[in-house]
Amino acid sequence: MAPEPAIARQRGSIACVGLGMTLGSHLGPLARSHIEQADVVFAALSDGIVEMWLEGMHPDVRSLQPYYGQGDKSRLLTYREWVEVMMAEVRAGRKVCAVFYGHPGIFAWSPHEVIKVARAEGYRAHMEPGISAEDCLYADLGIDPGRYGCQHYEASQLLFCETPLNPGAYLVLWQVGLVGDRSLKRFSTGPEYRQVLVDVLEKDYPLDHEVIIYRGATLPIQRPRVRRVALRDLPATDVSAEETVILPPASALRPSRVVRERLAVLDRAREAPGQTS
């Protein structure tokens, strides 16, 4: 993220904050302060109940959800409209807070763009992180990304680009429910699109390899949703846009003998008499 200008030339400002994933449980004190001190609050949240909860924190909460259109309206057009409606308030000299579920900078185009535009026009702009779906995933599934390594891809990006995979690490695929959509107009794709994804993954993973389909809880009364299927069964399994697909490692880590021997030489030299750090 580009640094904020030392001196903003205009009075308006914007802060994009993360509400976290679970209602009321993940909101940090700095994000809460931005919400409470704002003149106007915009909301792009995962659930109508969460929006109602936010309305209890501020008298002027404006939902961004109505900007989504039906039929042929591109989501990118919606996201551009979000930027413009938020910037209109910033340009009017107001202190704006934009609240997004999870982390405002993860799989979210508008927060990055509105901060970029605001700073370019001389306004103060800030992003306050939140607990993301990725954070919840590690906790709910008991995954330590530092143990084997972890690679993350948006599922369609994996199809559209020649992307080398490491089957010795975890593979996390986001937005599999939309995989293969090139229009940015649909909110789901079908089993034939997931079959293309499986055909790509089959180059590195056996078809009987376990796939975890995960969705974190958004309300305190909910439990995380975790399903496990074989890779070959993924096309026939309904996957929503909110769910994440995880492939555990399919092979063991391969030690590098050359590098280990090189490090051993360095260790012996360091431990030799007369050597100091």
Side-chain angles (χ1 to χ4, degrees), residues 171-216:
L171 174 61
V172 181
L173 297 176
W174 301 92
Q175 299 181 335
V176 169
L178 288 168
V179 68
D181 175 37
R182 297 185 294 171
S183 69
L184 296 179
K185 298 177 181 178
R186 288 181 284 182
F187 290 89
S188 65
T189 53
E192 63 273 21
Y193 289 83
R194 291 192 294 277
Q195 183 62 58
V196 176
L197 175 63
V198 169
D199 292 344
V200 170
L201 294 173
E202 188 184 2
K203 299 174 184 176
D204 296 284
Y205 297 87
L207 286 174
D208 60 355
H209 190 67
E210 179 183 81
V211 170
I212 304 169
I213 303 171
Y214 166 81
R215 180 175 181 176

Short mmCIF file of all heavy atoms in Angstrom, two decimals, residues 171-216:
data_model
loop_
_atom_site.label_atom_id
_atom_site.label_comp_id
_atom_site.label_asym_id
_atom_site.label_seq_id
_atom_site.Cartn_x
_atom_site.Cartn_y
_atom_site.Cartn_z
N LEU A 171 -2.82 -25.99 -0.71
CA LEU A 171 -3.33 -25.17 -1.80
C LEU A 171 -4.70 -24.65 -1.38
O LEU A 171 -5.61 -25.43 -1.11
CB LEU A 171 -3.44 -25.98 -3.09
CG LEU A 171 -4.10 -25.26 -4.27
CD1 LEU A 171 -3.32 -24.02 -4.68
CD2 LEU A 171 -4.26 -26.21 -5.46
N VAL A 172 -4.85 -23.32 -1.33
CA VAL A 172 -6.11 -22.69 -0.95
C VAL A 172 -6.67 -21.98 -2.18
O VAL A 172 -6.00 -21.11 -2.76
CB VAL A 172 -5.90 -21.68 0.20
CG1 VAL A 172 -7.22 -21.04 0.60
CG2 VAL A 172 -5.26 -22.37 1.41
N LEU A 173 -7.87 -22.36 -2.56
CA LEU A 173 -8.51 -21.80 -3.75
C LEU A 173 -9.74 -21.00 -3.33
O LEU A 173 -10.65 -21.54 -2.71
CB LEU A 173 -8.91 -22.92 -4.72
CG LEU A 173 -7.76 -23.75 -5.29
CD1 LEU A 173 -8.29 -24.89 -6.14
CD2 LEU A 173 -6.82 -22.87 -6.09
N TRP A 174 -9.74 -19.74 -3.71
CA TRP A 174 -10.82 -18.84 -3.34
C TRP A 174 -11.83 -18.70 -4.48
O TRP A 174 -11.46 -18.75 -5.65
CB TRP A 174 -10.25 -17.46 -2.99
CG TRP A 174 -9.27 -17.52 -1.85
CD1 TRP A 174 -7.92 -17.67 -1.93
CD2 TRP A 174 -9.58 -17.48 -0.45
NE1 TRP A 174 -7.35 -17.71 -0.68
CE2 TRP A 174 -8.35 -17.59 0.25
CE3 TRP A 174 -10.76 -17.34 0.27
CZ2 TRP A 174 -8.29 -17.57 1.65
CZ3 TRP A 174 -10.70 -17.32 1.65
CH2 TRP A 174 -9.47 -17.44 2.32
N GLN A 175 -13.07 -18.53 -4.12
CA GLN A 175 -14.17 -18.26 -5.06
C GLN A 175 -14.31 -19.36 -6.12
O GLN A 175 -14.51 -19.10 -7.30
CB GLN A 175 -13.97 -16.89 -5.71
CG GLN A 175 -13.97 -15.77 -4.69
CD GLN A 175 -13.80 -14.39 -5.29
OE1 GLN A 175 -13.23 -14.22 -6.36
NE2 GLN A 175 -14.27 -13.38 -4.58
N VAL A 176 -14.24 -20.60 -5.67
CA VAL A 176 -14.43 -21.73 -6.58
C VAL A 176 -15.85 -21.75 -7.13
O VAL A 176 -16.08 -22.19 -8.26
CB VAL A 176 -14.09 -23.06 -5.85
CG1 VAL A 176 -14.53 -24.27 -6.67
CG2 VAL A 176 -12.59 -23.14 -5.57
N GLY A 177 -16.80 -21.22 -6.37
CA GLY A 177 -18.18 -21.16 -6.87
C GLY A 177 -18.33 -20.32 -8.12
O GLY A 177 -19.32 -20.45 -8.85
N LEU A 178 -17.35 -19.44 -8.37
CA LEU A 178 -17.36 -18.58 -9.56
C LEU A 178 -16.30 -18.98 -10.57
O LEU A 178 -16.06 -18.23 -11.52
CB LEU A 178 -17.11 -17.12 -9.13
CG LEU A 178 -18.24 -16.40 -8.40
CD1 LEU A 178 -17.71 -15.09 -7.80
CD2 LEU A 178 -19.38 -16.11 -9.34
N VAL A 179 -15.68 -20.12 -10.38
CA VAL A 179 -14.53 -20.47 -11.20
C VAL A 179 -14.87 -20.47 -12.69
O VAL A 179 -15.92 -20.96 -13.12
CB VAL A 179 -13.95 -21.84 -10.78
CG1 VAL A 179 -14.89 -22.99 -11.10
CG2 VAL A 179 -12.58 -22.07 -11.41
N GLY A 180 -13.99 -19.87 -13.47
CA GLY A 180 -14.15 -19.84 -14.92
C GLY A 180 -14.98 -18.70 -15.45
O GLY A 180 -15.08 -18.54 -16.68
N ASP A 181 -15.58 -17.90 -14.58
CA ASP A 181 -16.41 -16.78 -15.06
C ASP A 181 -15.52 -15.66 -15.57
O ASP A 181 -14.72 -15.11 -14.84
CB ASP A 181 -17.30 -16.26 -13.93
CG ASP A 181 -18.09 -15.03 -14.35
OD1 ASP A 181 -18.51 -14.99 -15.52
OD2 ASP A 181 -18.27 -14.12 -13.53
N ARG A 182 -15.68 -15.32 -16.84
CA ARG A 182 -14.91 -14.24 -17.44
C ARG A 182 -15.73 -12.97 -17.64
O ARG A 182 -15.22 -11.96 -18.07
CB ARG A 182 -14.33 -14.69 -18.78
CG ARG A 182 -13.34 -15.85 -18.67
CD ARG A 182 -12.71 -16.18 -19.99
NE ARG A 182 -13.69 -16.70 -20.94
CZ ARG A 182 -13.44 -16.90 -22.24
NH1 ARG A 182 -12.25 -16.63 -22.73
NH2 ARG A 182 -14.38 -17.38 -23.03
N SER A 183 -17.00 -13.04 -17.33
CA SER A 183 -17.90 -11.92 -17.60
C SER A 183 -17.99 -10.92 -16.45
O SER A 183 -18.35 -9.77 -16.64
CB SER A 183 -19.31 -12.44 -17.89
OG SER A 183 -19.89 -12.99 -16.71
N LEU A 184 -17.69 -11.37 -15.22
CA LEU A 184 -17.88 -10.59 -13.99
C LEU A 184 -19.35 -10.20 -13.80
O LEU A 184 -19.67 -9.24 -13.12
CB LEU A 184 -17.01 -9.32 -13.99
CG LEU A 184 -15.50 -9.54 -13.98
CD1 LEU A 184 -14.76 -8.22 -13.99
CD2 LEU A 184 -15.09 -10.36 -12.77
N LYS A 185 -20.24 -10.98 -14.40
CA LYS A 185 -21.67 -10.71 -14.30
C LYS A 185 -22.42 -11.82 -13.57
O LYS A 185 -23.54 -11.60 -13.12
CB LYS A 185 -22.28 -10.54 -15.70
CG LYS A 185 -21.70 -9.35 -16.48
CD LYS A 185 -22.29 -9.28 -17.88
CE LYS A 185 -21.70 -8.11 -18.66
NZ LYS A 185 -22.23 -8.04 -20.04
N ARG A 186 -21.82 -12.99 -13.48
CA ARG A 186 -22.49 -14.11 -12.83
C ARG A 186 -22.07 -14.23 -11.38
O ARG A 186 -21.00 -13.77 -10.98
CB ARG A 186 -22.18 -15.42 -13.57
CG ARG A 186 -22.87 -15.52 -14.93
CD ARG A 186 -22.54 -16.83 -15.61
NE ARG A 186 -21.19 -16.82 -16.17
CZ ARG A 186 -20.68 -17.84 -16.85
NH1 ARG A 186 -21.38 -18.95 -17.02
NH2 ARG A 186 -19.47 -17.76 -17.35
N PHE A 187 -22.93 -14.85 -10.57
CA PHE A 187 -22.63 -15.06 -9.17
C PHE A 187 -22.38 -16.54 -8.87
O PHE A 187 -22.19 -16.92 -7.72
CB PHE A 187 -23.75 -14.51 -8.29
CG PHE A 187 -23.81 -13.01 -8.30
CD1 PHE A 187 -24.56 -12.33 -9.24
CD2 PHE A 187 -23.07 -12.28 -7.38
CE1 PHE A 187 -24.60 -10.94 -9.25
CE2 PHE A 187 -23.10 -10.89 -7.39
CZ PHE A 187 -23.87 -10.21 -8.33
N SER A 188 -22.38 -17.37 -9.91
CA SER A 188 -22.03 -18.78 -9.75
C SER A 188 -21.81 -19.37 -11.14
O SER A 188 -22.31 -18.85 -12.13
CB SER A 188 -23.12 -19.56 -9.02
OG SER A 188 -24.31 -19.59 -9.79
N THR A 189 -21.02 -20.43 -11.18
CA THR A 189 -20.86 -21.22 -12.40
C THR A 189 -21.19 -22.67 -12.07
O THR A 189 -21.32 -23.03 -10.90
CB THR A 189 -19.44 -21.09 -12.98
OG1 THR A 189 -18.48 -21.40 -11.95
CG2 THR A 189 -19.17 -19.68 -13.48
N GLY A 190 -21.30 -23.51 -13.09
CA GLY A 190 -21.80 -24.85 -12.87
C GLY A 190 -20.74 -25.92 -12.79
O GLY A 190 -19.53 -25.66 -12.82
N PRO A 191 -21.18 -27.19 -12.70
CA PRO A 191 -20.26 -28.31 -12.53
C PRO A 191 -19.27 -28.46 -13.69
O PRO A 191 -18.15 -28.92 -13.48
CB PRO A 191 -21.19 -29.52 -12.44
CG PRO A 191 -22.52 -29.07 -12.93
CD PRO A 191 -22.60 -27.61 -12.67
N GLU A 192 -19.67 -28.07 -14.91
CA GLU A 192 -18.75 -28.19 -16.03
C GLU A 192 -17.55 -27.27 -15.87
O GLU A 192 -16.43 -27.58 -16.33
CB GLU A 192 -19.48 -27.92 -17.35
CG GLU A 192 -20.04 -26.51 -17.50
CD GLU A 192 -21.43 -26.37 -16.91
OE1 GLU A 192 -21.83 -27.18 -16.06
OE2 GLU A 192 -22.13 -25.40 -17.31
N TYR A 193 -17.74 -26.14 -15.19
CA TYR A 193 -16.62 -25.23 -14.94
C TYR A 193 -15.70 -25.80 -13.85
O TYR A 193 -14.47 -25.70 -13.96
CB TYR A 193 -17.15 -23.86 -14.51
CG TYR A 193 -17.79 -23.08 -15.63
CD1 TYR A 193 -19.12 -23.30 -15.98
CD2 TYR A 193 -17.07 -22.13 -16.36
CE1 TYR A 193 -19.72 -22.60 -17.01
CE2 TYR A 193 -17.67 -21.41 -17.40
CZ TYR A 193 -18.99 -21.66 -17.72
OH TYR A 193 -19.58 -20.96 -18.75
N ARG A 194 -16.30 -26.41 -12.84
CA ARG A 194 -15.48 -27.04 -11.81
C ARG A 194 -14.73 -28.24 -12.38
O ARG A 194 -13.63 -28.58 -11.90
CB ARG A 194 -16.34 -27.45 -10.62
CG ARG A 194 -16.90 -26.25 -9.83
CD ARG A 194 -17.51 -26.67 -8.50
NE ARG A 194 -18.71 -27.49 -8.65
CZ ARG A 194 -19.93 -27.00 -8.87
NH1 ARG A 194 -20.11 -25.70 -8.97
NH2 ARG A 194 -20.98 -27.80 -8.98
N GLN A 195 -15.29 -28.89 -13.41
CA GLN A 195 -14.58 -29.99 -14.04
C GLN A 195 -13.30 -29.50 -14.71
O GLN A 195 -12.27 -30.18 -14.68
CB GLN A 195 -15.48 -30.69 -15.07
CG GLN A 195 -14.84 -31.91 -15.72
CD GLN A 195 -14.52 -32.99 -14.72
OE1 GLN A 195 -15.39 -33.48 -14.01
NE2 GLN A 195 -13.24 -33.39 -14.63
N VAL A 196 -13.36 -28.31 -15.32
CA VAL A 196 -12.15 -27.74 -15.91
C VAL A 196 -11.10 -27.52 -14.83
O VAL A 196 -9.91 -27.80 -15.02
CB VAL A 196 -12.47 -26.42 -16.64
CG1 VAL A 196 -11.19 -25.78 -17.18
CG2 VAL A 196 -13.46 -26.65 -17.77
N LEU A 197 -11.53 -27.04 -13.66
CA LEU A 197 -10.60 -26.85 -12.55
C LEU A 197 -9.99 -28.18 -12.13
O LEU A 197 -8.77 -28.27 -11.92
CB LEU A 197 -11.33 -26.21 -11.38
CG LEU A 197 -10.53 -26.04 -10.09
CD1 LEU A 197 -9.35 -25.11 -10.29
CD2 LEU A 197 -11.43 -25.51 -8.96
N VAL A 198 -10.80 -29.22 -12.02
CA VAL A 198 -10.29 -30.53 -11.64
C VAL A 198 -9.30 -31.04 -12.67
O VAL A 198 -8.26 -31.63 -12.33
CB VAL A 198 -11.45 -31.53 -11.44
CG1 VAL A 198 -10.93 -32.96 -11.31
CG2 VAL A 198 -12.26 -31.16 -10.21
N ASP A 199 -9.58 -30.82 -13.94
CA ASP A 199 -8.66 -31.26 -14.99
C ASP A 199 -7.30 -30.59 -14.86
O ASP A 199 -6.26 -31.21 -15.14
CB ASP A 199 -9.27 -30.97 -16.37
CG ASP A 199 -10.49 -31.82 -16.67
OD1 ASP A 199 -10.70 -32.84 -15.97
OD2 ASP A 199 -11.25 -31.46 -17.59
N VAL A 200 -7.30 -29.33 -14.44
CA VAL A 200 -6.04 -28.63 -14.23
C VAL A 200 -5.33 -29.17 -12.99
O VAL A 200 -4.12 -29.43 -13.00
CB VAL A 200 -6.29 -27.10 -14.09
CG1 VAL A 200 -5.02 -26.38 -13.63
CG2 VAL A 200 -6.77 -26.53 -15.42
N LEU A 201 -6.07 -29.37 -11.91
CA LEU A 201 -5.47 -29.86 -10.67
C LEU A 201 -4.96 -31.28 -10.78
O LEU A 201 -4.00 -31.68 -10.11
CB LEU A 201 -6.49 -29.75 -9.53
CG LEU A 201 -6.92 -28.34 -9.13
CD1 LEU A 201 -8.05 -28.40 -8.10
CD2 LEU A 201 -5.74 -27.56 -8.56
N GLU A 202 -5.58 -32.07 -11.66
CA GLU A 202 -5.21 -33.48 -11.81
C GLU A 202 -3.77 -33.64 -12.28
O GLU A 202 -3.16 -34.70 -12.09
CB GLU A 202 -6.16 -34.16 -12.79
CG GLU A 202 -5.97 -35.66 -12.88
CD GLU A 202 -6.87 -36.30 -13.93
OE1 GLU A 202 -7.61 -35.57 -14.62
OE2 GLU A 202 -6.81 -37.55 -14.07
N LYS A 203 -3.19 -32.61 -12.83
CA LYS A 203 -1.79 -32.69 -13.26
C LYS A 203 -0.85 -32.82 -12.07
O LYS A 203 0.26 -33.33 -12.20
CB LYS A 203 -1.43 -31.43 -14.07
CG LYS A 203 -2.26 -31.25 -15.33
CD LYS A 203 -1.95 -29.91 -15.99
CE LYS A 203 -2.85 -29.67 -17.19
NZ LYS A 203 -2.63 -28.33 -17.80
N ASP A 204 -1.31 -32.35 -10.90
CA ASP A 204 -0.46 -32.36 -9.71
C ASP A 204 -1.02 -33.15 -8.55
O ASP A 204 -0.30 -33.43 -7.59
CB ASP A 204 -0.21 -30.92 -9.24
CG ASP A 204 0.56 -30.09 -10.25
OD1 ASP A 204 1.78 -30.28 -10.35
OD2 ASP A 204 -0.06 -29.26 -10.95
N TYR A 205 -2.32 -33.51 -8.61
CA TYR A 205 -2.98 -34.19 -7.49
C TYR A 205 -3.74 -35.41 -8.00
O TYR A 205 -4.40 -35.33 -9.05
CB TYR A 205 -3.96 -33.25 -6.79
CG TYR A 205 -3.31 -32.04 -6.16
CD1 TYR A 205 -3.09 -30.88 -6.90
CD2 TYR A 205 -2.89 -32.06 -4.82
CE1 TYR A 205 -2.49 -29.76 -6.33
CE2 TYR A 205 -2.29 -30.95 -4.24
CZ TYR A 205 -2.09 -29.81 -5.00
OH TYR A 205 -1.49 -28.72 -4.44
N PRO A 206 -3.69 -36.54 -7.27
CA PRO A 206 -4.49 -37.70 -7.67
C PRO A 206 -5.98 -37.41 -7.50
O PRO A 206 -6.38 -36.61 -6.64
CB PRO A 206 -4.02 -38.80 -6.72
CG PRO A 206 -3.45 -38.07 -5.55
CD PRO A 206 -2.88 -36.79 -6.08
N LEU A 207 -6.81 -38.05 -8.30
CA LEU A 207 -8.24 -37.79 -8.26
C LEU A 207 -8.89 -38.23 -6.95
O LEU A 207 -9.99 -37.75 -6.61
CB LEU A 207 -8.93 -38.47 -9.44
CG LEU A 207 -8.70 -37.81 -10.80
CD1 LEU A 207 -9.31 -38.65 -11.92
CD2 LEU A 207 -9.28 -36.40 -10.83
N ASP A 208 -8.25 -39.13 -6.21
CA ASP A 208 -8.81 -39.53 -4.92
C ASP A 208 -8.29 -38.67 -3.77
O ASP A 208 -8.57 -38.94 -2.61
CB ASP A 208 -8.54 -41.00 -4.64
CG ASP A 208 -7.06 -41.33 -4.58
OD1 ASP A 208 -6.22 -40.43 -4.85
OD2 ASP A 208 -6.72 -42.49 -4.28
N HIS A 209 -7.56 -37.61 -4.10
CA HIS A 209 -7.02 -36.73 -3.06
C HIS A 209 -8.15 -35.99 -2.36
O HIS A 209 -9.11 -35.53 -3.00
CB HIS A 209 -6.04 -35.72 -3.68
CG HIS A 209 -5.27 -34.94 -2.67
ND1 HIS A 209 -4.34 -35.52 -1.84
CD2 HIS A 209 -5.30 -33.61 -2.34
CE1 HIS A 209 -3.81 -34.59 -1.05
NE2 HIS A 209 -4.39 -33.43 -1.33
N GLU A 210 -8.04 -35.84 -1.06
CA GLU A 210 -9.08 -35.17 -0.28
C GLU A 210 -9.10 -33.68 -0.56
O GLU A 210 -8.07 -33.01 -0.60
CB GLU A 210 -8.85 -35.39 1.21
CG GLU A 210 -9.88 -34.69 2.10
CD GLU A 210 -9.61 -34.85 3.56
OE1 GLU A 210 -8.76 -34.11 4.11
OE2 GLU A 210 -10.25 -35.72 4.18
N VAL A 211 -10.32 -33.16 -0.73
CA VAL A 211 -10.56 -31.73 -0.90
C VAL A 211 -11.44 -31.28 0.27
O VAL A 211 -12.44 -31.94 0.59
CB VAL A 211 -11.26 -31.44 -2.24
CG1 VAL A 211 -11.74 -30.00 -2.31
CG2 VAL A 211 -10.31 -31.74 -3.40
N ILE A 212 -11.08 -30.19 0.90
CA ILE A 212 -11.87 -29.63 1.99
C ILE A 212 -12.61 -28.40 1.47
O ILE A 212 -12.01 -27.51 0.87
CB ILE A 212 -10.97 -29.23 3.18
CG1 ILE A 212 -10.13 -30.41 3.65
CG2 ILE A 212 -11.80 -28.66 4.32
CD1 ILE A 212 -9.04 -30.03 4.64
N ILE A 213 -13.91 -28.37 1.69
CA ILE A 213 -14.74 -27.22 1.30
C ILE A 213 -15.14 -26.53 2.60
O ILE A 213 -15.80 -27.12 3.45
CB ILE A 213 -15.97 -27.66 0.51
CG1 ILE A 213 -15.54 -28.46 -0.73
CG2 ILE A 213 -16.80 -26.45 0.08
CD1 ILE A 213 -16.69 -29.13 -1.46
N TYR A 214 -14.75 -25.27 2.74
CA TYR A 214 -14.85 -24.58 4.04
C TYR A 214 -15.58 -23.25 3.92
O TYR A 214 -15.38 -22.50 2.96
CB TYR A 214 -13.44 -24.33 4.58
CG TYR A 214 -13.39 -23.36 5.73
CD1 TYR A 214 -13.68 -23.76 7.03
CD2 TYR A 214 -13.04 -22.02 5.50
CE1 TYR A 214 -13.63 -22.85 8.08
CE2 TYR A 214 -13.00 -21.12 6.55
CZ TYR A 214 -13.29 -21.54 7.84
OH TYR A 214 -13.25 -20.63 8.87
N ARG A 215 -16.42 -22.98 4.89
CA ARG A 215 -17.00 -21.66 5.06
C ARG A 215 -17.01 -21.32 6.54
O ARG A 215 -17.52 -22.08 7.37
CB ARG A 215 -18.43 -21.59 4.52
CG ARG A 215 -19.02 -20.19 4.70
CD ARG A 215 -20.39 -20.02 4.08
NE ARG A 215 -20.87 -18.66 4.27
CZ ARG A 215 -22.01 -18.19 3.78
NH1 ARG A 215 -22.79 -18.98 3.05
NH2 ARG A 215 -22.38 -16.94 4.00
N GLY A 216 -16.43 -20.16 6.89
CA GLY A 216 -16.38 -19.74 8.28
C GLY A 216 -17.72 -19.23 8.76
O GLY A 216 -18.61 -18.89 7.97
#
